[in-house]
Amino acid sequence: MANPETDVLVLRKGTHGMPIEQYVAALRERLPNGRVRLARTPAEEREEIRDASFVAGMVLEDDVLDAAEELEVFACAYAGTGHLPLERLAERGVTVTNASGVHGPNIGEHVLGAILRFARRFHVGARRQRRREWRHYQSHELEGSTVTIVGLGAIGNAVCDRLEPFGVETVGVRYSPEKGGPTDEVIGFETASVHDALARTDYLVLACPLTETTQGLIDQDAMMTIDPDAVIVNVARGPVIDTDALVGALRSNWIRGASLDVTDPEPLPEEHPLWTFDNVQITPHNAGHTPKYYDRLADIVAGNARLYVEDGLDADFENRVRI
């Protein structure tokens, strides 16, 4: 049963190079009358989780879960939960929540920056600046372009919101197109529909989870179908793109360029050919970083902790994961 006062145990792993103590401080600020404790070592995790019913963390190791005798809610600090022992949690009746929505603003800005970089060809200007070369070059204009966004979750919606003032046409791809979305057009994942969209796409934004449907979605057929003046922006997961097909498309000028925050493999080996293309922007899975990460996460988790005290497992938790 829920404790009469909020009691949250935070596990030791942080993210994006930010100390986990910042997350604990954000939770304590939002739960001033509750108890927020930090298990700072592996031994402390195994000991503290024994009587913890509401636990927050990035990961949940098997030995830590083995020690959890009272666990009822695990508040995952990532949007994705595929790394968690979901089957074991389901067997034990543990409610799992995630951090969906935390990344929307920062990744939306990352995508917009990548698109504008290629539209105005800032990478060409930067190269000529390094050479101290005053020579004009041609650029593109974003207005009137077609942007296809694969995945209309929190990130896809944030991207769409930020594109709205630029006068672009947007196509959204989602599992349930009948639900509609913020884009001008919404389609499903049927191959014919996706290829039809690719043929008229100027900027392809991948913001979907990695599933059986999306793995290898952008393969050689897709590369041959997409408009050759198109740019691909991947902030989803590396395997959504067939890497060999991407390298082949870049070498054959089948696409104008790519902005990759995620790759397959990841990290990208030093000798990989993707490093060598002038029309490829690579960032080290960094789009998710924001100094406001723990604050946004704490808003969700603190709210759910209060609901848990009031209603137990019958609470209408924000970001509840169906497992």
Side-chain angles (χ1 to χ4, degrees):
M1 295 293 296
N3 295 320
E5 291 188 354
T6 310
D7 186 354
V8 178
L9 172 66
V10 180
L11 303 182
R12 63 193 168 94
K13 186 180 186 299
T15 190
H16 296 302
M18 298 182 293
I20 193 65
E21 285 81 2
Q22 292 181 10
Y23 181 28
V24 173
L27 284 171
R28 286 173 176 163
E29 181 180 343
R30 288 156 178 79
L31 299 169
N33 298 320
R35 178 189 184 202
V36 180
R37 44 188 170 135
L38 171 62
R40 199 62 184 81
T41 68
E44 286 181 5
E45 286 185 339
R46 292 189 295 270
E47 179 61 31
E48 294 289 337
I49 204 171
R50 293 187 186 281
D51 65 346
S53 58
F54 192 108
V55 177
M58 313 287 165
V59 298
L60 185 58
E61 304 291 348
D62 285 337
D63 62 331
V64 178
L65 180 55
D66 289 341
E69 299 175 3
E70 306 292 335
L71 181 62
E72 291 194 327
V73 179
F74 183 74
C76 181
Y78 294 131
T81 56
H83 63 289
L84 297 178
L86 293 178
E87 289 188 5
R88 294 188 62 195
L89 290 169
E91 290 171 357
R92 295 179 53 167
V94 176
T95 294
V96 177
T97 64
N98 66 15
S100 179
V102 170
H103 287 307
N106 46 291
I107 296 185
E109 291 176 4
H110 182 100
V111 170
L112 183 59
I115 289 175
L116 289 173
R117 175 183 186 269
F118 277 95
R120 301 309 301 167
R121 300 186 73 198
F122 289 136
H123 56 297
V124 176
R127 186 165 62 246
R128 294 188 181 181
Q129 180 181 349
R130 288 194 301 270
R131 297 172 179 171
R132 302 184 185 184
E133 180 182 6
W134 186 276
R135 182 162 62 91
H136 286 266
Y137 57 90
Q138 294 183 334
S139 59
H140 302 266
E141 192 169 288
L142 182 55
E143 185 174 9
S145 299
T146 297
V147 182
T148 296
I149 305 169
V150 181
L152 291 181
I155 293 171
N157 276 267
V159 170
C160 193
D161 288 345
R162 283 153 181 76
L163 286 171
E164 196 276 331
F166 288 89
V168 300
E169 290 291 318
T170 53
V171 179
V173 184
R174 68 182 309 173
Y175 289 102
S176 303
E178 66 275 6
K179 293 182 179 179
T183 51
D184 297 309
E185 179 183 348
V186 181
I187 63 174
F189 276 95
E190 298 82 8
T191 300
S193 298
V194 172
H195 282 190
D196 176 71
L198 292 178
R200 49 195 170 96
T201 293
D202 298 295
Y203 296 92
L204 173 64
V205 178
L206 303 173
C208 52
L210 180 63
T211 66
E212 290 183 2
T213 299
T214 61
Q215 183 163 359
L217 178 71
I218 308 304
D219 56 11
Q220 185 170 358
D221 280 344
M223 294 291 183
M224 294 175 66
T225 302
I226 196 169
D227 190 290
D229 204 34
V231 171
I232 298 173
V233 181
N234 191 5
V235 291
R237 288 293 184 267
V240 174
I241 298 178
D242 182 320
T243 300
D244 291 341
L246 174 61
V247 171
L250 290 163
R251 285 174 172 162
S252 302
N253 290 320
W254 290 348
I255 59 173
R256 175 153 53 102
S259 175
L260 308 173
D261 188 57
V262 289
T263 60
D264 182 26
E266 187 175 309
L268 195 65
E270 292 182 13
E271 68 278 5
H272 201 280
L274 281 173
W275 290 112
T276 67
F277 293 101
D278 288 338
N279 59 340
V280 174
Q281 177 189 34
I282 296 174
T283 50
H285 208 140
N286 206 61
H289 178 264
T290 169
K292 298 180 180 179
Y293 185 91
Y294 284 145
D295 285 327
R296 293 187 187 131
L297 179 61
D299 286 340
I300 297 170
V301 174
N304 282 339
R306 286 190 289 267
L307 289 174
Y308 176 64
V309 169
E310 295 170 3
D311 300 320
L313 293 181
D314 293 327
D316 185 16
F317 293 112
E318 182 177 358
N319 288 355
R320 184 169 188 158
V321 178
R322 303 301 175 187
I323 57 175

